């Protein structure tokens, strides 16, 4: 058989005879489009709800502690003692417990305004710290710029939402976040705190996690605050950070030009996740400080430097840590099945109300996700069935109408396998065109249709949020292209199997 002649004289005319059936093709494209749009809507909704409901910190349950419980003045001590019992922890499936205080502090935004947010300390020895920094790879956004909080005692992990609220660009994050401890003559006094990392989320809607030393100082838990820039310990020195890629020799020469005969110490700053230096200037007369601060600011005022001064907090005697009340009792669970039982136990034994909203949300999301996945499978199977039915029915009817011609071809040596291959090839071209066209329409128009019909009526917090997400996956290619063609091939082959040229020519 001459392949080129066979292709031109038989395959191409047969393909054209199907392509002119515009009603059938447009109908199948419409079904494919609606199916893929529905799958995109289901996938987008699942992602949206996962973001809202499936908290990565779901296994860390925070129980809000009241100031006191009637007739139990030392109930926090009782809690601490009772939940140090290994048998009790094992019975509730608890991995670790700890108590934490919280506070509300001010930060300065890029416009010079002040915003208040909730913060709490984090102990590097807890599982929560290890989960945040090591176990969950998607939580910390600054992986390549991470700072160990245990090595930087005056540092904080801040949430992405807090930085955005303060006006910062997440793609070009700041090195320090400006804390406002108090006002002097109605002007905020700003203290930069090193950012150890930026987290996509923090538990309990916190804006920042501080090291314990920084937290207790910032929330005034020590006898004396180290954040007053008028303290005597800060008057005979200036500490500054210079962010630059220039060499140490170049920076040293610049400082010598700025400071004249003033002595200074310059060292590479290894604690900050950018190239830079720390400089310490010492002097005897505190009246010299304004001139030195001004000279250094002018020296490093260009855009090629990231320059600011900071307070050397460790020079200040903070005194003793005063009585510190805890606000949360945090329990880490191995599994969530025992959470309702623990909630009932704390309610009965300690009159503590446990907010199970996050746990219920996680369970609700799990149920919704399973239902959504099930509906997507049903919709996919329905679409595949309709496509197979329409195309295979069209091909079988075409074969029935052209039995005599096919019988004649078989009499001249054309095999059932070749005929089946021809119509399977026709089916492959049609199904491929239908899938590609349907996918492109769904991909390009799906979000617009979704926004016009659904999203506008939901009043989402973020107008950029979408409930539509459609990606080209191998599963879709197999389900909507390869599987229908394989089944159509089987149906056509069974239609022709065992037939003779005479059966086709005489309609037997």
């Amino acid at each position: 058989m001459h392949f080129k002649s066979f292709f031109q004289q038989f395959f191409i005319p047969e393909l054209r005879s199907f392509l002119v059936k515009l009603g059938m093709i447009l109908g199948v494209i419409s079904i494919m489009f609606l199916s893929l749009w529905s799958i995109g809507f289901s996938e987008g909704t699942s992602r949206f709800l996962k973001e809202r409901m499936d908290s990565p910190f779901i296994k860390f349950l925070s129980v809000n502690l009241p100031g006191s419980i009637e007739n139990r003045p030392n109930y926090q001590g009782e809690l601490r003692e009772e939940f140090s019992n290994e048998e009790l922890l094992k019975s509730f499936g608890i991995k670790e417990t700890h108590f934490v205080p919280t506070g509300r502090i001010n930060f300065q935004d890029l416009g010079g305004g002040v915003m208040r947010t909730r913060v709490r300390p984090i102990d590097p020895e807890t599982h929560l710290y290890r989960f945040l920094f090591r176990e969950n790879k998607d939580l910390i956004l600054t992986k390549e710029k991470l700072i160990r909080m245990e090595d930087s005692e005056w540092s904080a992990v801040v949430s992405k939402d807090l930085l955005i609220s303060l006006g910062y660009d997440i793609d070009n994050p700041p090195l320090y976040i400006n804390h406002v401890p108090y006002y002097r003559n109605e002007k905020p006094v700003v203290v930069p705190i090193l950012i150890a990392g930026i987290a996509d989320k923090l538990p309990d809607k916190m804006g920042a996690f501080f090291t314990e030393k920084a937290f207790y100082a910032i929330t005034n838990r020590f006898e004396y605050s180290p954040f007053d820039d008028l303290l005597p310990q800060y008057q005979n020195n200036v500490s500054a950070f210079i962010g630059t890629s220039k060499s140490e020799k170049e920076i040293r020469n610049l400082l010598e030009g700025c400071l004249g005969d003033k002595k200074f110490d310059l060292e590479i700053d290894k604690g900050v996740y950018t190239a830079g230096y720390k400089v310490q200037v010492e002097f005897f007369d505190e009246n010299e400080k304004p001139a030195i601060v001004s000279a250094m600011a002018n020296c490093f005022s260009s855009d090629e430097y990231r320059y600011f001064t900071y307070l050397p907090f460790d020079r200040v005697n903070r005194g003793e840590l005063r009585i510190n009340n805890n606000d949360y009792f945090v329990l880490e669970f191995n599994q969530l099945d025992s959470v309702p039982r623990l909630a009932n136990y704390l309610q009965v034994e300690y009159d503590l109300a446990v907010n199970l909203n996050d746990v219920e949300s996680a369970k609700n999301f799990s149920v919704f996700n399973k239902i959504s996945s099930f509906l997507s499978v049903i919709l996919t199977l329905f679409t595949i069935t309709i496509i197979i039915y329409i195309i295979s029915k069209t091909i079988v009817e075409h074969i029935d109408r052209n039995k005599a011609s096919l019988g004649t071809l078989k009499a001249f040596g054309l095999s059932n396998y070749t005929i089946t291959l021809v119509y399977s090839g026709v089916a492959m071209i049609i199904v491929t065109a239908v899938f590609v066209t349907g996918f492109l329409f769904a991909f390009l128009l799906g979000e617009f249709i979704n926004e016009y019909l659904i999203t506008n009526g939901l009043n989402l917090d973020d107008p950029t949020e979408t409930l539509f997400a459609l990606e080209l996956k191998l599963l879709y290619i197999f389900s909507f292209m390869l599987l229908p063609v394989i089944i159509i091939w089987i149906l056509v082959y069974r239609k022709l199997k065992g037939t003779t040229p005479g059966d086709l020519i005489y309609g037997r």
Side-chain angles (χ1 to χ4, degrees):
M1 180 177 65
H2 191 268
F3 178 78
K4 183 177 180 181
S5 298
F6 175 81
F7 186 79
Q8 292 176 341
Q9 299 300 321
F10 184 57
F11 183 82
I12 296 296
E14 290 295 278
L15 177 60
R16 285 174 179 166
S17 68
F18 286 96
L19 294 180
V20 296
K21 301 178 186 295
L22 291 179
M24 180 270 291
I25 293 176
L26 290 176
V28 176
I29 289 176
S30 300
I31 293 171
M32 181 68 74
F33 165 75
L34 290 174
S35 177
L36 289 170
W37 177 83
S38 300
I39 290 173
F41 174 64
S42 175
E43 181 68 23
T45 305
S46 293
R47 290 186 183 182
F48 175 80
L49 290 177
K50 183 177 179 64
E51 183 74 16
R52 292 292 186 91
M53 300 168 65
D54 188 25
S55 169
F57 301 101
I58 195 67
K59 69 175 183 176
F60 297 95
L61 181 67
S62 297
V63 180
N64 202 352
L65 299 174
S68 62
I69 292 180
E70 188 176 358
N71 300 324
R72 300 182 80 163
N74 190 35
Y75 82 98
Q76 289 194 22
E78 295 176 33
L79 267 177
R80 191 186 303 275
E81 182 178 355
E82 183 165 6
F83 280 87
S84 62
N85 186 303
E86 292 295 331
E87 290 297 323
L88 182 71
L89 297 179
K90 186 176 180 181
S91 68
F92 285 113
I94 297 172
K95 187 175 183 179
E96 182 182 70
T97 66
H98 55 274
F99 291 83
V100 291
T102 62
R104 297 184 70 88
I105 65 172
N106 294 325
F107 289 108
Q108 187 178 56
D109 60 31
L110 278 181
V114 175
M115 192 185 85
R116 198 164 179 81
T117 190
R118 297 172 68 221
V119 298
R120 54 164 281 192
I122 185 169
D123 183 355
E125 298 299 320
T126 61
H127 285 107
L128 177 58
Y129 179 87
R130 292 192 286 275
F131 174 79
L132 184 65
F133 279 86
R134 303 185 190 119
E135 296 176 14
N136 196 314
K137 298 180 180 179
D138 297 325
L139 275 177
I140 296 295
L141 304 179
T142 48
K143 299 178 183 65
E144 73 283 358
K145 303 174 181 180
L146 201 58
I147 295 172
R148 287 166 52 91
M149 294 183 78
E150 51 264 56
D151 296 335
S152 301
E153 292 186 319
W154 295 96
S155 63
V157 176
V158 299
S159 70
K160 177 180 70 174
D161 290 341
L162 175 61
L163 288 186
I164 293 175
S165 299
L166 295 175
Y168 291 102
D169 180 4
I170 297 300
D171 296 326
N172 185 29
L175 306 177
Y176 288 75
I177 190 168
N178 290 323
H179 165 50
V180 181
Y182 58 91
Y183 292 79
R184 180 174 288 123
N185 297 326
E186 297 186 355
K187 181 180 179 181
V189 174
V190 176
V191 176
I193 304 293
L194 176 65
I195 294 178
I198 300 171
D200 185 50
K201 291 182 179 180
L202 288 176
D204 306 315
K205 299 180 181 179
M206 293 290 167
F209 275 10
F210 284 86
T211 59
E212 291 185 309
K213 178 186 284 188
F215 173 83
Y216 292 133
I218 284 173
T219 55
N220 297 314
R221 311 288 172 116
F222 287 109
E223 290 182 273
Y224 309 104
S225 171
F227 296 119
D228 186 352
D229 59 353
L230 296 182
L231 288 172
Q233 292 90 335
Y234 299 145
Q235 302 315 305
N236 293 357
N237 58 82
V238 174
S239 300
F241 170 77
I242 306 166
T244 179
S245 58
K246 290 188 175 182
S247 68
E248 183 178 351
K249 183 178 180 180
E250 290 177 287
I251 299 301
R252 190 174 293 278
N253 290 337
L254 280 171
L255 285 169
E256 289 175 351
C258 292
L259 300 174
D261 60 351
K262 295 292 184 296
K263 293 183 179 180
F264 61 87
D265 292 323
L266 182 68
E267 63 174 322
I268 297 175
D269 183 13
K270 298 179 181 179
V272 178
Y273 49 81
T274 187
Y277 302 88
K278 282 183 177 179
V279 59
Q280 301 278 343
V281 185
E282 303 282 349
F283 42 87
F284 292 104
D285 187 353
E286 63 183 41
N287 294 322
E288 296 180 82
K289 184 172 183 176
I292 293 174
V293 170
S294 176
M296 292 178 65
N298 291 332
C299 189
F300 300 103
S301 61
S302 68
D303 293 339
E304 61 182 319
Y305 302 106
R306 301 178 74 175
Y307 171 83
F308 48 81
T309 59
Y310 63 92
L311 301 177
F313 305 122
D314 289 326
R315 296 191 178 203
V316 177
N317 176 19
R318 295 178 301 279
E320 297 295 325
L321 186 63
R322 296 180 296 189
I323 296 175
N324 184 41
N325 293 324
N326 295 303
D327 299 303
Y328 282 116
F329 180 40
V330 180
L331 305 102
E332 179 186 0
F333 289 85
N334 292 311
Q335 65 278 332
L336 298 177
D337 296 342
S338 59
V339 174
R341 188 162 54 89
L342 174 73
N344 182 67
Y345 178 83
L346 291 175
Q347 179 69 55
V348 172
E349 297 295 327
Y350 290 94
D351 196 24
L352 292 177
V354 179
N355 187 349
L356 297 180
N357 287 341
D358 287 341
V359 177
E360 291 301 319
S361 294
K363 291 181 179 179
N364 291 338
F365 169 74
S366 178
V367 172
F368 171 84
N369 201 40
K370 289 176 182 178
I371 294 174
S372 178
S373 300
F374 176 74
L375 290 177
S376 294
V377 171
I378 294 298
L379 186 61
T380 300
L381 292 176
F382 175 77
T383 304
I384 293 170
T385 302
I386 293 296
I387 291 173
I388 292 170
Y389 174 77
I390 293 175
I391 296 178
S392 63
K393 186 174 183 294
T394 303
I395 291 175
V396 169
E397 289 177 350
H398 179 83
I399 291 173
D400 287 338
R401 286 195 304 269
N402 295 275
K403 281 183 177 180
S405 299
L406 292 175
T408 303
L409 290 173
K410 285 193 68 173
F412 283 98
L414 195 65
S415 66
N416 286 340
Y417 177 78
T418 303
I419 296 174
T420 304
L421 197 62
V422 168
Y423 290 112
S424 298
V426 171
M428 171 65 84
I429 292 173
I430 294 174
V431 170
T432 301
V434 165
F435 174 76
V436 171
T437 306
F439 184 88
L440 286 176
F441 274 118
F443 183 79
L444 296 174
L445 301 178
E447 187 168 343
F448 171 77
I449 295 172
N450 188 73
E451 182 177 347
Y452 181 76
L453 294 178
I454 301 172
T455 309
N456 284 339
L458 296 180
N459 296 320
L460 300 179
D461 297 335
D462 185 352
T464 63
E465 288 181 311
T466 178
L467 300 181
F468 184 83
L470 182 63
E471 299 175 355
L472 184 61
K473 298 180 180 179
L474 290 176
L475 177 62
Y476 299 159
I477 295 174
F478 174 79
S479 301
F480 293 113
M481 288 177 56
L482 298 181
L483 186 59
V485 171
I486 292 171
I487 294 176
I488 290 171
W489 182 88
I490 294 172
L491 293 174
V492 174
Y493 183 78
R494 290 183 62 184
K495 171 72 176 175
L496 297 173
K497 183 180 180 181
T499 60
T500 64
D503 294 333
L504 293 174
I505 292 173
Y506 299 107
R508 296 197 296 253

